[in-house]
Amino acid sequence: AVVSTQSTGGDVASTSTKGLVHSVLFLFTVNGKLIKRVKLEDRTTALFVEDDRVVVGGAGGSLEIRCTTGLATKHKLRLKSGVVTVSIDPRKHHLFVTTGDGKMVIITSTAKPFVKK
């Protein structure tokens, strides 16, 4: 299981593993009320919540950026190796992803930040 909270003290995201392959992503209010739950295709290994986005990384190399309002998928990538950690820089223009093969992937948003300021 993985858990992450918004830095502003808002929503809380967590995952629960279903066997060895799939996870379920849960979004709760800060008071513990379930907002939404969705089944993920990959076993979650990394989770990050910031403003209006949830970033989910998986053991099979999946990387998803979802909206906190309903957990709709905004962006989806498949990396060559499993995701170990995910983080967003303070200016919210770079997404840092480390993978199981020891590499760091940096995804840049040139048009607008990954999350609203």
Side-chain angles (χ1 to χ4, degrees), residues 22-114:
H22 301 286
S23 289
V24 177
L25 175 62
F26 299 92
L27 185 65
F28 297 94
T29 66
V30 71
N31 295 321
K33 181 180 177 187
L34 179 65
I35 298 171
K36 183 78 175 181
R37 139 178 101 195
V38 294
K39 183 178 177 182
L40 301 173
E41 298 173 10
D42 201 355
R43 185 173 50 86
T44 302
T45 54
L47 184 65
F48 189 84
V49 181
E50 185 62 40
D51 296 337
D52 65 340
R53 298 285 187 260
V54 178
V55 182
V56 184
S62 67
L63 183 66
E64 298 182 22
I65 300 173
R66 293 176 171 262
C67 186
T68 56
T69 56
L71 296 177
T73 302
K74 293 294 186 181
H75 303 282
K76 192 173 189 177
L77 300 169
R78 178 66 65 179
L79 303 175
K80 292 181 181 181
S81 184
V83 175
V84 177
T85 60
V86 293
S87 185
I88 296 176
D89 78 301
R91 290 185 13 213
K92 302 176 185 174
H93 284 278
H94 298 87
L95 177 64
F96 299 95
V97 182
T98 58
T99 59
D101 59 1
K103 296 182 178 166
M104 178 183 286
V105 177
I106 302 171
I107 301 168
T108 303
S109 173
T110 56
K112 58 183 179 178
F114 280 103

